[in-house]
Amino acid sequence: MVSKMSSKMVGSNNLANARRMVQQLRVEASIERIKVSKASADLMRYCGENAKYDPLLMGIPASENPFKDKKPCTIL
Amino acid sequence: RDACAEPHQLSKGETIHTLKTESETLKAKLEEERAKLHDVELHQVAEKIEALGQFVMKTRRTLKGHGNKVLCMDWCRDKRRIVSSSQDGKVIVWDAYTTNKEHAVTMPCTWVMACAYAPSGCAVACGGLDNKCSVYPLSLDKNENLAAKKKSVAMHTNYLSSCSFTNSDMQILTSSGDGTCALWDVESGQLLQSFHGHSADVLSLNLAPSETGNTFVSGGCDKKANVWDMRSGQNVQSFETHESDINCVKYYPSGDAFATGSDDATCRLYDLRADREVAIYSKESIIFGASSVDFSLSGRLLFAGYNDYTINVWDVLKGTRVAILFGHENRVSTVRVSPDGTAFCSGSWDSTLRIWA
């Protein structure tokens, strides 16, 4: 099993790293956010609108699914 | 303050100590801002919708041919071809309808951890312990030696963990054990952009659905999931709630959220506009890591492959498990839904791939 070869960034310059972290956090802190209730409603609406186009969710008949085997044909 | 200023010079009053204090203050502010908007849980809002019925999903095809652990797979846009890669260095292209092998390449390295189909269907990309990502054009001539036309595109300083073409055959995005992600021009092999921010191996990446713009998400051994702007290289959002390595990241089909699978035995959903984790998919009985996740077409179902050889199917909105699929005889390493959503494919350390529908 391959071990996840960790490559910790060599902290050669702690001051530069600290500055980078502050800069990064400023970027992240400044974004606009919405409420979880609104985000949830949007996720649910997307599911609802697209459910009918979702074959794994709705289940589609064997005749329409290339992976489901059709009933064998009988040669008369 | 300019973060690019000469590192050894201090701005007036600035010390490591003041910067660390500012870091802590910003982190606390982030948490506070996120908490203010945490007015409800996703599964609570989802209580009003109907529960899903019984799911019957079976193995419809088994693809046998790899001699060793299957590590990765990808679907072709034609919805029937698949590329897969394994520990023994083999990369195989299959017709999933017939289970026939159409192409096979032996890589010069073992542990080919990443493979991807080009959007045109005319090439595949792969790499692993060779630290590279190479592109092989697929020939119509079965006798042609694919290895002869191989093109080395990406070079990392540690293993390649994941690769993905962007919207065309011209660019490839890679992630690596060296802690970075990178965007490359396929034709010239030129590095177009690099993405720094993870503090350990990056294990997975996924491009946002094309309608939502130029971003991608990555996850790694630092337990973080980072969202990146592809043009600027900027890390725009970061999420750190997992308790162990994140093995896989996948966007929700609308592009507004993404799911993760982790060694902490949970999968989680993060909403990008709420900027927080909004669901955890876990059970006390699930104690092995989740290696790979993918959504069904509508985003309602999440398929997750685990190190306990099973695939769990989750109701994304309600947070409940709706099915558990048995069949593989070793760890499930990769799970991907087909482009038209009619089936999903799983790859395993048992050296097989299975198509489920």
Side-chain angles (χ1 to χ4, degrees):
Chain A
M1 176 178 145
V2 82
S3 55
K4 287 168 186 168
M5 291 161 267
S6 199
S7 58
K8 296 255 180 281
M9 303 307 197
V10 176
S12 56
N13 194 310
N14 285 335
L15 190 58
N17 286 343
R19 274 219 192 96
R20 234 175 273 126
M21 173 158 300
V22 165
Q23 203 74 349
Q24 179 59 33
L25 286 167
R26 281 190 198 148
V27 166
E28 291 178 33
S30 67
I31 71 160
E32 297 214 0
R33 293 174 193 85
I34 63 173
K35 287 187 181 172
V36 175
S37 51
K38 166 91 172 77
S40 301
D42 289 347
L43 291 172
M44 280 170 52
R45 193 185 56 246
Y46 186 90
C47 278
E49 283 168 0
N50 290 281
K52 55 183 176 288
Y53 306 119
D54 187 341
L56 286 168
L57 181 68
M58 304 309 291
I60 59 176
S63 56
E64 287 169 34
N65 190 326
F67 292 109
K68 287 185 179 170
D69 289 314
K70 293 127 183 65
K71 298 218 181 344
C73 301
T74 315
I75 314 268
L76 295 169
Chain B
R1 292 189 203 111
D2 179 7
C4 303
E6 171 58 48
H8 300 292
Q9 288 173 343
L10 292 167
S11 301
K12 195 170 174 124
E14 180 187 82
T15 61
I16 288 267
H17 179 72
T18 60
L19 287 170
K20 287 222 161 114
T21 309
E22 193 178 350
S23 263
E24 296 310 310
T25 311
L26 283 166
K27 278 186 194 163
K29 179 166 176 247
L30 252 176
E31 280 322 298
E32 201 187 300
E33 293 299 313
R34 282 173 170 165
K36 275 186 205 164
L37 299 163
H38 190 196
D39 53 346
V40 77
E41 298 290 344
L42 170 61
H43 66 82
Q44 289 170 318
V45 178
E47 265 162 27
K48 59 187 177 214
I49 54 175
E50 255 184 70
L52 298 171
Q54 274 282 1
F55 278 94
V56 176
M57 269 173 220
K58 296 192 244 187
T59 299
R60 306 288 174 172
R61 301 284 189 280
T62 303
L63 306 181
K64 295 186 186 179
H66 278 293
N68 212 318
K69 307 177 171 74
V70 175
L71 302 176
C72 189
M73 61 81 41
D74 191 20
W75 288 90
C76 178
R77 284 187 186 182
D78 72 359
K79 310 159 237 176
R80 71 185 282 172
R81 281 174 183 79
I82 278 177
V83 62
S84 60
S85 63
S86 71
Q87 182 193 353
D88 65 0
K90 288 255 179 8
V91 175
I92 299 177
V93 174
W94 315 76
D95 177 335
Y97 288 1
T98 62
T99 74
N100 289 340
K101 298 179 206 29
E102 297 199 336
H103 302 277
V105 170
T106 303
M107 293 277 286
C109 67
T110 57
W111 289 88
V112 187
M113 292 170 243
C115 63
Y117 231 114
S120 68
C122 298
V124 293
C126 52
L129 284 189
D130 58 353
N131 299 358
K132 294 186 202 168
C133 184
S134 305
V135 175
Y136 291 84
L138 294 174
S139 169
L140 290 170
D141 178 1
K142 300 269 152 109
N143 294 322
E144 188 171 358
N145 179 11
L146 287 186
K149 294 247 170 83
K150 165 181 164 176
K151 194 193 230 13
S152 271
V153 175
M155 281 286 316
H156 278 279
T157 55
N158 211 324
Y159 63 92
L160 187 82
S161 54
S162 183
C163 62
S164 174
F165 285 86
T166 59
N167 286 330
S168 76
D169 286 21
M170 306 282 80
Q171 291 182 356
I172 284 186
L173 197 53
T174 57
S175 64
S176 169
D178 67 15
T180 71
C181 298
L183 180 67
W184 310 83
D185 177 89
V186 172
E187 192 53 48
S188 63
Q190 195 192 350
L191 173 67
L192 299 172
Q193 184 62 263
S194 66
F195 305 89
H196 297 262
H198 281 287
S199 54
D201 309 32
V202 186
L203 299 178
S204 176
L205 66 84
N206 187 234
L207 272 136
S210 40
E211 311 79 50
T212 43
N214 281 7
T215 60
F216 73 95
V217 61
S218 64
C221 294
D222 57 359
K223 312 177 204 167
K224 286 199 199 157
N226 289 336
V227 181
W228 307 86
D229 179 307
M230 273 171 67
R231 289 200 205 91
S232 66
Q234 174 78 49
N235 173 6
V236 294
Q237 280 173 276
S238 188
F239 303 88
E240 195 173 352
T241 63
H242 271 293
E243 294 167 18
S244 186
D245 300 356
I246 295 177
N247 295 314
C248 186
V249 291
K250 217 41 177 309
Y251 270 94
Y252 182 80
S254 71
D256 286 336
F258 66 90
T260 53
S262 165
D263 274 355
D264 69 9
T266 72
C267 299
R268 299 182 195 224
L269 186 71
Y270 298 88
D271 188 285
L272 293 169
R273 294 175 312 144
D275 189 38
R276 65 173 300 120
E277 175 192 294
V278 293
I280 304 185
Y281 309 102
S282 67
K283 276 179 114 62
E284 269 185 42
S285 53
I286 301 174
I287 57 172
F288 284 81
S291 61
S292 185
V293 297
D294 202 0
F295 287 98
S296 70
L297 235 54
S298 66
R300 183 68 191 269
L301 300 175
L302 183 72
F303 301 97
Y306 290 77
N307 293 341
D308 65 1
Y309 314 175
T310 67
I311 294 163
N312 287 312
V313 186
W314 300 91
D315 178 330
V316 168
L317 303 177
K318 288 185 181 285
T320 52
R321 180 172 64 183
V322 295
I324 176 167
L325 304 175
F326 300 97
H328 279 297
E329 294 167 12
N330 207 319
R331 295 192 185 193
V332 178
S333 53
T334 179
V335 167
R336 289 220 198 176
V337 173
S338 71
D340 62 355
T342 52
F344 71 92
C345 179
S346 59
S348 165
W349 281 20
D350 69 11
S351 79
T352 70
L353 294 117
R354 284 170 181 250
I355 312 285
W356 306 78

